[in-house]
Each structure stands twice: as structure tokens, then as C-alpha cells.
Amino acid sequence: MHTLRRVVSWLACVALLAAAGCGYRPLYGTAGDDRGVVAALASVSIPEANTRLGQIVRSDLLSAMRPAGTASQDRYVLVLRPEVKTASIIDKPLPNTTRRSVQVVVNFELTGSEGVLHGGKTFSQVSYDVVREPFADMQAEANAMERAAHEVSMDIRSRLAAYFASH
């Protein structure tokens, strides 16, 4: 039993040493003078949006990437082009209920002094019930759009963090 414990301890030490030498770095960590992903994200500016959907996505991104007091000099610009689409999921109404979906699609481009650095397209689809009460239906659709907007903004943030970590 004592020998087994010694072998397991030795193997654990070897595994830790091997992992330490593989070059693993945490995505949001900083190393010495390296600006790090957090600092790069804080230097991204996002132009004002002219739609409610664009405002939600922009606000989420600014809150996640540039929390109060952490913004640095703007080095990059993130251009967002959001769209929202609504469709019926169930065409045969159940007793006073219909199921609909909201799909939020956002094309984005990160530009710097060298031009377009990174871009992509992300989407989220969220469903809701239509109960044929005008105010409730309007609120349900707005809530579905907001939930989808929050999802795409976090996806964009993750993609930008991965880009900055690899460059």
C-alpha cells in the first residue's frame, strides 16, 4: 500500500511538471509586460447603435469588456450589424396559444490601424408564446429579443477574447 501511494505521488508530480511546461496560459490572464486579453478587450470601442437591438448588444459588450474604470485608449473599433427575424414555430394554434421564435443575427468586424483584423457572424434563436393579449405578446417578443441579444453579445466577447489570445 505504501509503495502504491509513492508511485501515485510520483506520477502526479510528473503530470504537474509536464502540464507546467506545455505553455498553457489562462485566456484572461496577463504575463509580465504582456498587455493580455483583458487589456486588449478594454481598448475596443463600439460605435453607438441606432436600434434597440444594437443598443442591447453594445451595452452588454461594453459592460463585459470595459467595466467602469478599466477602459484604456481606443486601439480597435468593433462594428456591429444586428438583425432580428420573427417566425412562427407552430402554425396550428393551440387553445389561445401560438409559439413563435425570434432570431437575432449579428455580423461583426474588428478593425485596427491595419484594417479589418477579425470578423464573423453569430446568431441566437429564442422562442416565446403568443397568447393573443396585445401587451403580453409585445412584452414576450421584447423579452425573447433581449435574451437572444445577451447570448450573441457573450459569444462575440468570447470570439474577440480568443482572437486576442492567439495574436
Side-chain angles (χ1 to χ4, degrees), residues 12-156:
C13 288
V14 169
L16 286 173
L17 288 173
C22 74
Y24 170 78
R25 294 185 311 153
L27 182 60
Y28 298 106
T30 58
D33 294 330
D34 185 20
R35 289 185 42 84
V37 173
V38 173
L41 288 173
S43 66
V44 175
S45 71
I46 306 170
E48 291 285 336
N50 56 5
T51 64
R52 178 68 182 138
L53 174 60
Q55 291 170 352
I56 294 169
V57 173
R58 179 182 186 268
S59 178
D60 278 358
L61 286 169
L62 289 176
S63 295
M65 297 181 345
R66 300 176 86 151
T70 62
S72 61
Q73 182 180 8
D74 295 341
R75 295 181 54 211
Y76 309 99
V77 176
L78 180 64
V79 177
L80 304 170
R81 288 183 297 284
E83 300 174 32
V84 64
K85 301 172 187 173
T86 305
S88 289
I89 297 176
I90 300 174
D91 287 332
K92 299 176 189 170
L94 300 173
N96 296 330
T97 305
T98 301
R99 195 85 175 142
R100 296 185 59 91
S101 71
V102 171
Q103 184 180 49
V104 170
V105 179
V106 179
N107 289 299
F108 63 94
E109 279 186 345
L110 179 70
T111 58
S113 58
E114 306 86 37
V116 176
L117 303 173
H118 183 65
K121 181 178 189 175
T122 183
F123 76 95
S124 177
Q125 185 167 333
V126 177
S127 60
Y128 65 98
D129 290 329
V130 175
V131 293
R132 291 180 181 69
E133 290 293 330
F135 184 74
D137 294 343
M138 182 181 68
Q139 283 300 112
E141 183 177 0
N143 181 272
M145 191 231 357
E146 287 181 20
R147 288 183 288 146
H150 294 310
E151 288 180 17
V152 296
S153 65
M154 290 303 105
D155 185 48
I156 292 170

